[in-house]
Amino acid sequence: MIPQVTSLISGDGRFPLDRGARVRGPHADAARELLGLPEDGDAPGEIVLDLVDDPSLGDEGYTLTVTPETARITAAGAAGLGWGVQTLRQLGAPGAVPCVTVRDVPRYAWRGVMIDVARWWRPVSFLRAYVDLLALHKFNVLHLHLTDDQGWRFEVRAHPPLTEVGANRAESPEGHAREGRFDGTPHGGFYTQRELRDLVDYAAARGVTVVPEIEFPGHSQAAIAACPWLGHPSAEPVRVRTSWGISSHVLNVSDRAAGFARDVLDELCDVFPSRFVHIGGDEVRTEEWAASPEAARRVAGAGLPGPEALHGWWGRLLAGHLRGLGRRAVAWDDMLDHDPPEDMLIMAWRGVDRIEAALRAGHDVVAAPHTHTYLDYAESDAPGEPVSIAGPLPLETVYGFDAGEGVLGVQAQLWGEYLPTRERFDYNAFPRLCAVAEAAWTSGRDLGDFTRRLTAHLPLLDRLGVGYRRPHHQGARHVHL
C-alpha cells in the first residue's frame, strides 16, 4: 500500500472483492462507486462502513478489519471512511483482499498537489482523472493554479476580456525556453464556472478539496493584456506572454485595479467553497512601480517605505477582502518578506529554510520546497531524459523529505511549462508523487520498504493507464516532446 499505513496486522484468508460484494452503512453509494460494485450485489461478502466516536482517529483516521466474510471500516467522519475505502481498493487490486487489521491516521492535515493549468490548459477530464489518482494516494488538496503570464483560465463574468483575450496566446516555446524557438501554434482555453463547480463536487465526493489560485500582483501579464487599464503606460500594448519566465508587468495600484481584484475574488469564492484561497504573491518585479507616479502616491498615502512595499500592500488588501468573505489567504513565501497578515498561510517554496522562517514568524505553513517537491524538475540528468526546467530531483530525494513538526502539511508542485501533454505530465508526476504521498501521510518511513511496495503498486498504475517513469531498477522508459 502507498502511502504506508500506521499499523497493520496480517490474518489468515482472503475477502473476495468482486462485483457481487454488498456495501452498507453511511456513504455506501460513494464507496460502491469507488470499488466498482453494483448496488444490488448478492455475494456473501459484505463491506460495512461505521461512524464511531473515537477522537484518537481525528478527522481523517480510520480502522479496517478484513475477515473472509466481512471488510469493516470505522472512522469518526466521512473523510476517514473514504480513506479506508481507498486502502481496501489498493489491497484488493488483484481481486481479493488479504485478511488484515489496519489502524491508520495521517501525519499532516494538508496533503496537496499543485497542478498548473495556466501554462497549458488541460481538459476537465484530465483534472478528474488526477482527482482520482490523488484520492487513491490519500492526497486531500488539489491546488489549481488558474492564472499566470501565459494564460487566464477562470471565467470572471464581471470582466469577460479575461477569457476572451487573456485565455489565448499566439504561440509557445519549443524546446528549452532559453533557446528562443517557438512553435507558431496558438494555444488557449478556459474553464466555465459551471465546469469548475462540477469539478469541486466531483473532488469533494472523493475527499479532495480544490484550492484555487489567482496570481496577484505579479505573474499577471495575461490579465493586463485582457484589461490594459490594470497595467502601466508603455510604448507598446501588452499581449499574453508567449515565453516562459517572469514578466516585468505587474498590476498597478489604482483603486480600479483593487476593485478588479475584489471582483475576481468574489466570483472565485462563489465557485470554490474551500476555506483557503491562494493569491500567489511570488516573483513580483517592482520596476514598473518604481517608475510610476501613481505608485509613488500610493506609497506616500499608505506610509510605505518604498515601491517594493507595495507587494505587501497588495497581500494585505487581498487577505482582508478574503477575511470578509470568511476565507483565509494563502501566498507563496515571497510574501513573508513584505509584512503579511498573521492569518495568512505561507506556502514555503524557495528552500527548506523558508519553512522555519515562516514558522518563526507565527504563520501556518505548507512545506513545498522546490528542492524536494517540484516534480516538474527532471528526475535524472541521464541522456535521453525529456527537456525540463531544472533538476535532477531523484525519487530517493523526494522520499527523504521530512517537513518536521509544526507545519500544516506538505505539497507537491507540477508547474506546467515543460509538461504540455498527459503523457509528459504522468512521466514527471509518477512515481515521485507516490513518494510525496507517503511523506505527507506516514510518520515512520523506510526507503527500502517503500521501494518494495512501489514495485507491487506499479501494476495498479498500469491498469489505471498512468504513463509513469519506470524506476531505475526496472529500466527507465524515456519520453520526448
Side-chain angles (χ1 to χ4, degrees):
M1 287 176 292
I2 293 176
Q4 177 68 295
V5 298
T6 306
S7 68
L8 181 149
I9 301 172
S10 297
D12 296 326
R14 302 180 75 83
F15 173 82
L17 189 64
D18 59 24
R19 295 190 59 80
R22 293 170 292 157
V23 185
R24 66 176 176 87
H27 309 289
D29 290 344
R32 200 177 292 116
E33 180 184 352
L34 284 171
L35 295 169
L37 298 172
E39 186 174 353
D40 55 351
D42 57 1
E46 187 173 57
I47 299 167
V48 180
L49 309 177
D50 279 340
L51 291 175
V52 296
D53 183 12
D54 185 351
S56 70
L57 292 175
D59 293 334
E60 297 185 274
Y62 65 92
T63 67
L64 168 63
T65 305
V66 182
T67 69
E69 296 80 27
T70 305
R72 181 179 299 273
I73 299 169
T74 67
L81 291 178
W83 302 136
V85 170
Q86 294 290 0
T87 294
L88 186 66
R89 183 181 171 199
Q90 286 199 33
L91 285 169
V97 182
C99 292
V100 293
T101 300
V102 170
R103 182 178 179 85
D104 203 13
V105 179
R107 182 180 185 186
Y108 295 120
W110 183 301
R111 304 179 304 281
V113 177
M114 190 283 296
I115 294 180
D116 173 9
V117 295
R119 272 48 179 261
W120 296 98
W121 177 86
R122 306 178 193 278
V124 173
S125 59
F126 169 96
L127 295 176
R128 287 191 173 211
Y130 260 81
V131 165
D132 289 336
L133 289 169
L134 266 56
L136 176 68
H137 295 91
K138 299 186 176 70
F139 288 103
N140 63 355
V141 173
L142 168 59
H143 168 184
L144 206 54
H145 185 80
L146 287 162
T147 70
D148 217 293
D149 297 315
Q150 296 82 11
W152 183 287
R153 310 295 176 208
F154 174 66
E155 177 192 27
V156 180
R157 292 169 180 168
H159 300 281
L162 288 170
T163 47
E164 293 171 353
V165 176
N168 304 285
R169 64 173 180 264
E171 58 185 355
S172 307
E174 186 175 59
H176 203 288
R178 64 171 174 261
E179 297 168 356
R181 294 184 288 113
F182 293 86
D183 61 12
T185 303
H187 176 78
F190 69 94
Y191 306 103
T192 67
Q193 294 190 9
R194 180 174 180 177
E195 286 175 323
L196 291 170
R197 284 192 178 93
D198 289 345
L199 178 67
V200 165
D201 291 344
Y202 184 88
R206 289 150 179 80
V208 177
T209 297
V210 183
V211 173
E213 179 185 3
I214 302 290
E215 279 275 13
F216 301 102
H219 284 282
S220 296
Q221 186 167 326
I224 296 167
C227 304
W229 46 270
L230 290 171
H232 297 77
S234 62
E236 297 181 1
V238 173
R239 64 173 185 164
V240 177
R241 188 175 173 93
T242 57
S243 57
W244 308 139
I246 306 168
S247 172
S248 61
H249 297 297
V250 299
L251 299 180
N252 65 44
V253 292
S254 65
D255 290 342
R256 189 179 182 189
F260 162 85
R262 295 187 188 99
D263 290 343
V264 172
L265 292 178
D266 286 347
E267 294 197 31
L268 195 75
C269 290
D270 189 51
V271 172
F272 295 92
S274 166
R275 178 188 176 199
F276 294 97
V277 173
H278 206 303
I279 59 171
D282 61 316
E283 300 176 324
V284 178
R285 304 279 291 271
T286 60
E287 297 95 326
E288 289 185 333
W289 290 338
S292 166
E294 180 179 60
R297 290 191 293 272
R298 179 69 74 182
V299 166
L304 301 175
E308 294 82 5
L310 291 168
H311 190 159
W313 176 85
W314 265 112
R316 293 185 294 276
L317 175 81
L318 299 168
H321 188 69
L322 286 170
R323 197 178 301 118
L325 297 172
R327 312 299 179 90
R328 281 185 64 186
V330 186
W332 299 108
D333 71 60
D334 310 52
M335 193 67 77
L336 193 62
D337 303 328
H338 299 281
D339 192 24
E342 292 182 358
D343 63 345
M344 181 176 282
L345 172 65
I346 298 297
M347 199 162 276
W349 74 276
R350 287 184 291 174
V352 174
D353 61 311
R354 301 299 289 174
I355 301 170
E356 184 58 35
L359 289 172
R360 285 197 308 270
H363 292 274
D364 287 334
V365 180
V366 171
H370 73 96
T371 52
H372 295 80
T373 68
Y374 272 38
L375 304 189
D376 54 313
Y377 286 13
E379 184 166 344
S380 166
D381 56 6
E385 288 287 350
V387 175
S388 294
I389 194 169
L393 179 52
L395 174 71
E396 295 79 7
T397 301
V398 176
Y399 187 78
F401 177 57
D402 191 328
E405 302 307 315
V407 301
L408 184 61
V410 172
Q411 182 168 288
Q413 280 58 240
L414 284 150
W415 296 104
E417 290 95 330
Y418 295 90
L419 311 179
T421 64
R422 169 68 193 266
E423 180 186 29
R424 181 64 202 280
F425 198 95
D426 283 358
Y427 184 84
N428 272 65
F430 286 97
R432 289 183 295 179
L433 211 51
C434 298
V436 179
E438 193 146 308
W441 183 277
T442 308
S443 295
R445 290 175 285 133
D446 176 82
L447 179 60
D449 179 63
F450 170 76
T451 300
R452 288 188 292 273
R453 285 182 287 108
L454 180 60
T455 299
H457 185 70
L458 294 180
L460 175 57
L461 296 183
D462 286 327
R463 287 192 291 274
L464 294 173
V466 179
Y468 57 87
R469 181 188 187 276
R470 296 194 179 278
H472 60 80
H473 63 279
Q474 294 194 338
R477 168 171 49 87
H478 299 311
V479 174
H480 299 273
L481 287 178

